[in-house]
Amino acid sequence: MKTTGIVRRIDELGRIVIPKEIRRSLRIKEGENLEILINNDSIILKKYSIIKNLNDFAQNITDSIYSFIDNSVLITDTDNILAVSGPLKKQLLNKEIGIDLENKIKRREEMIEKHKKSLKITNEEIECTYAVSPIIVNSDVIGLVMIIGEVADVDFKLTQIISKFLSNHLEM
């Protein structure tokens, strides 16, 4: 564990402010959930992702869908690509999402792009066509489902079905 040299006082309600620089470097956004862990005499705050606990489940979903279509299928949380099947798997799996996917999550974007466009899926740009649908749990966007390749309307519908299935599964 590395020290930051930053000291903060706990207010009368037990609150503490996490400095902006730390929030920015760890990509902690307003309204996000943090998990509180105790390790001996230390309190550890960890970003909490409800969907990250479902990595194997998400990978099984993308593998199943990919077995029927020729396009790459991916599932993300708000920070990372959690599951990928298809030709882009090695390139994208477990990578931090890029600014374009981050913006799609913020805007709750649900769309199909049938004409090739440059897209920052990670920190690298990819020229692609795609369909995307957000995963929404309890009114919060927790990630997205994306199909990349020669997409058609059926692929867009498939992203909507997968995201709705995950939403329903996680709200239980």
Side-chain angles (χ1 to χ4, degrees):
M1 217 181 314
K2 67 180 182 179
T3 183
T4 63
I6 300 170
V7 176
R8 290 286 192 246
R9 179 179 299 270
I10 296 176
D11 73 9
E12 64 278 353
L13 296 176
R15 297 176 299 198
I16 186 168
V17 175
I18 300 170
K20 190 175 190 174
E21 304 80 36
I22 292 174
R23 292 191 321 262
R24 188 179 304 130
S25 70
L26 296 177
R27 297 175 69 163
I28 298 171
K29 298 166 203 81
E30 184 179 320
E32 280 192 322
N33 294 318
L34 296 177
E35 186 174 12
I36 302 169
L37 307 166
I38 298 172
N39 183 9
N40 297 326
D41 65 343
S42 298
I43 297 171
I44 299 167
L45 298 176
K46 183 178 173 187
K47 285 184 77 167
Y48 179 74
S49 168
I50 190 171
I51 198 170
K52 193 167 192 154
N53 298 329
L54 300 175
N55 276 9
D56 292 339
F57 184 66
Q59 189 61 54
N60 286 336
I61 291 172
T62 62
D63 289 343
S64 297
I65 300 300
Y66 179 67
S67 69
F68 289 97
I69 64 174
D70 290 331
N71 296 326
S72 291
V73 183
L74 63 94
I75 297 173
T76 77
D77 64 10
T78 56
D79 295 311
N80 299 299
I81 299 172
L82 304 177
V84 183
S85 296
L88 296 174
K89 184 172 185 170
K90 286 183 182 177
Q91 185 179 351
L92 300 177
L93 188 60
N94 297 322
K95 298 277 175 72
E96 204 171 85
I97 65 170
I99 189 72
D100 291 336
L101 289 192
E102 200 173 302
N103 288 334
K104 290 184 182 317
I105 289 170
K106 279 181 194 168
R107 292 190 302 258
R108 299 171 175 248
E109 213 165 287
E110 187 171 48
M111 64 170 293
I112 183 169
E113 180 56 64
K114 294 181 181 179
H115 303 287
K116 280 194 173 188
K117 296 237 169 144
S118 284
L119 188 69
K120 278 202 166 227
I121 294 172
T122 60
N123 62 347
E124 299 174 31
E125 276 192 357
I126 296 176
E127 184 92 6
C128 62
T129 62
Y130 60 89
V132 64
S133 185
I135 303 166
I136 301 171
V137 176
N138 299 323
S139 301
D140 295 323
V141 179
I142 62 160
L144 58 80
V145 176
M146 186 173 203
I147 295 178
I148 304 168
E150 293 299 318
V151 294
D153 292 335
V154 69
D155 298 303
F156 178 52
K157 197 63 172 167
L158 202 48
T159 63
Q160 292 174 311
I161 292 167
I162 299 165
S163 66
K164 184 64 175 169
F165 174 78
L166 288 168
S167 296
N168 289 343
H169 181 76
L170 293 168
E171 283 180 346
M172 293 179 161

